[in-house]
Amino acid sequence: MSSFYFLVDCNNFYVSCERVFNAKLIGKPVVVLSNNDGCVVARSNEAKQWIPMGVPVYKVRGIIAQHQVKVCSSNYTLYGELSRRVMSILKKHAESMEIYSIDEAFLEYSDTSKTSSDWENLAIMIRDAIRQSLGIPVSIGVGRTKTLAKLANNQAKKEKYGSGFCLLDSPERIEVLLKKMDVQEVWGVGRRWAKNLKAYGIDSAWQLQQAPEKLIRQKFNIFLLRTKLELQDVRCLHLEHFTPPRKSIAVTRSFGRKIQNILELEQAVASYLTRLGEKLRLHHLKVKKFILFIQTSRFSKEEYYSKSIICTLQDYTNNTSQLILAGLNGLGQIYLSEFSYNKAGVVAIDLRAEDVHQGQLFSGVIESKAESDLMMAVDLLNRKYGKSSIHYAITGLRQDWAALSTQKSPNYLSSWEELLAVS
């Protein structure tokens, strides 16, 4: 018997994170909103029957009021820290592990002597360890391929009163599940491919598994063929033990109100570039070029204006000072005073590992160790004493333009001032 993949997926992760520190939300309909309290990005099971994913919140205000849905602003700092702790627990229980997303991870086990009961007991142990330590509920799907583990996980989530566990360890179990599953539910298929597959009479996951290889090769591509083989219990996808290098890093935000004043726009851009510098240093990267953009609202009665510029640095860097200088210079070239702006952002597009350096013969720019140490010290202080404890004056103090987050929960795990008080 070959090894098995476990896909561990946190249930309704953002909502579950909010419930960890607010027990009053348990069993109640809850939604979490995107930046600037714009759209619904997470829903509890109780809210899914009324509120679709991604809907702008203003369109469902009536439904929220009618069903007394609790609304939370997103708190990505909290979600990221809880995700890190979940992955830390999973790592202790895995032979090999791939972090697939903020709330999902693949685990691999090669013990071929275990029975179906053994695998289920292991899954229950992992589930209980996370629940006891963090209060986060998870579902676990098990299969010999990553695609089957993903489908098993989807089935585990549907078992309302079950264990949150599904094992596909035999052809009979695989056939039963695939026959009742729409082809669009298969991992990696999606709407467009599902529509094309159904034109050839392939409506279910089982029919995709049984489809002729020649048809899939000629009418689709190698990626769908791999999916078909994975459904047949043939392993084509393996764990990715190393995170592939990032191609880009973005920091974009809508403002809480419109900005026309150039000074406030400079504050916003400097703040975003400060965050970009933090992300670059966190991932041990440097940037040579980044895109800066500003735009007005598409839905305003005023004339629409959107402009971007590529800002090029003299050398690869993750020094916030250099990023801000280049960004403010670029902002001056695209800013028009007659418009009121509602969004800005920066996107790093030319990245390199920070330990790779190739000097330029005529640039004369060499980043000193003192500059690097300064950035390291700033990051350390901000982690220890709270976000923006040390910051550049250009980013401002009050930031009245900042994105709305009227229902944001405290940073219980990353700020001494916001620790949960128990009375």
Side-chain angles (χ1 to χ4, degrees), residues 6-148:
F6 278 43
L7 177 59
V8 183
D9 186 5
C10 301
N11 300 339
N12 307 319
F13 183 56
Y14 292 173
V15 172
S16 294
C17 290
E18 297 290 343
R19 285 173 166 172
V20 168
F21 297 97
N22 187 354
K24 293 180 180 179
L25 300 179
I26 296 174
K28 303 293 178 62
V30 182
V31 296
V32 177
L33 305 183
S34 62
N35 285 322
N36 215 31
D37 289 352
C39 300
V40 174
V41 295
R43 306 161 297 163
S44 67
N45 288 336
E46 297 83 2
K48 289 179 180 179
Q49 58 184 314
W50 304 308
I51 301 176
M53 178 66 95
V55 65
V57 70
Y58 74 87
K59 290 187 176 182
V60 291
R61 289 290 184 193
I63 296 175
I64 288 172
Q66 178 185 352
H67 297 286
Q68 297 182 318
V69 178
K70 173 63 178 177
V71 177
C72 301
S73 300
S74 53
N75 185 343
Y76 296 114
T77 302
L78 176 66
Y79 309 154
E81 177 58 26
L82 280 168
S83 171
R84 185 189 67 78
R85 297 184 185 203
V86 169
M87 300 308 165
S88 177
I89 292 172
L90 292 179
K91 192 172 184 179
K92 295 177 182 178
H93 291 86
E95 296 176 14
S96 299
M97 175 175 164
E98 173 193 337
I99 298 176
Y100 182 65
S101 69
I102 190 172
D103 61 347
E104 290 180 274
F106 284 100
L107 314 180
E108 184 175 13
Y109 296 93
S110 59
D111 188 347
T112 58
S113 64
K114 290 185 181 294
T115 65
S116 297
S117 296
D118 293 330
W119 293 123
E120 183 167 2
N121 290 334
L122 176 59
I124 291 172
M125 181 180 69
I126 293 172
R127 180 201 65 186
D128 291 348
I130 296 173
R131 171 75 85 168
Q132 182 176 6
S133 298
L134 302 174
I136 300 291
V138 301
S139 297
I140 302 177
V142 182
R144 291 190 185 87
T145 70
K146 292 173 78 174
T147 302
L148 287 175

Side-chain angles (χ1 to χ4, degrees), residues 274 277-278 281-282 318-320 354 367-392:
T274 297
E278 292 170 350
R281 295 189 292 274
L282 178 65
N318 54 22
N319 186 296
T320 301
E354 65 179 1
E367 190 165 289
S368 68
K369 185 176 184 301
E371 290 176 312
S372 177
D373 288 346
L374 175 62
M375 291 295 98
M376 187 182 301
V378 169
D379 290 342
L380 180 62
L381 289 170
N382 284 333
R383 283 196 297 270
K384 185 174 182 179
Y385 296 107
K387 183 179 178 182
S388 298
S389 295
I390 303 292
H391 63 93
Y392 288 82

Side-chain angles (χ1 to χ4, degrees), residues 163-302:
S163 63
F165 168 76
C166 179
L167 170 65
L168 298 179
D169 63 343
S170 69
E172 294 76 22
R173 288 185 176 184
I174 293 172
E175 181 177 347
V176 169
L177 178 60
L178 297 190
K179 281 185 174 179
K180 64 181 181 181
M181 184 169 288
D182 190 281
V183 71
Q184 187 173 314
E185 295 183 68
V186 176
W187 186 37
V189 171
R191 254 183 225 174
R192 185 173 60 86
W193 272 2
K195 182 179 179 180
N196 294 337
L197 285 166
K198 289 180 179 182
Y200 289 96
I202 301 173
D203 298 300
S204 68
W206 174 253
Q207 288 172 322
L208 176 59
Q209 192 219 56
Q210 297 295 306
E213 286 191 22
K214 185 176 181 181
L215 172 67
I216 303 301
R217 281 182 181 276
Q218 290 181 346
K219 301 300 181 180
F220 297 92
N221 59 27
I222 188 65
F223 298 105
L224 189 60
L225 179 60
R226 288 174 183 167
T227 298
K228 168 189 160 52
L229 292 173
E230 289 246 321
L231 293 176
Q232 293 176 332
D233 227 358
V234 178
R235 185 169 293 184
C236 300
L237 304 174
H238 302 275
L239 291 192
E240 295 182 8
H241 297 286
F242 302 99
T243 304
R246 286 174 170 249
K247 303 291 184 181
S248 65
I249 296 178
V251 181
T252 68
R253 297 284 188 277
S254 295
F255 306 135
R257 59 171 173 79
K258 292 182 179 180
I259 291 180
Q260 191 169 18
N261 188 319
I262 181 63
L263 295 179
E264 289 187 320
L265 204 55
E266 286 178 342
Q267 288 182 4
V269 168
S271 297
Y272 299 167
L273 287 166
T274 297
R275 180 59 183 145
L276 177 63
E278 292 170 350
K279 286 188 173 185
L280 289 168
R281 295 189 292 274
L282 178 65
H283 295 286
H284 305 291
L285 295 170
K286 293 186 175 183
V287 63
K288 181 71 178 290
K289 296 179 181 179
F290 63 87
I291 299 171
L292 165 67
F293 73 85
I294 54 176
Q295 66 183 47
T296 62
S297 174
R298 296 179 182 273
F299 308 103
S300 173
K301 295 180 181 179
E302 300 172 0

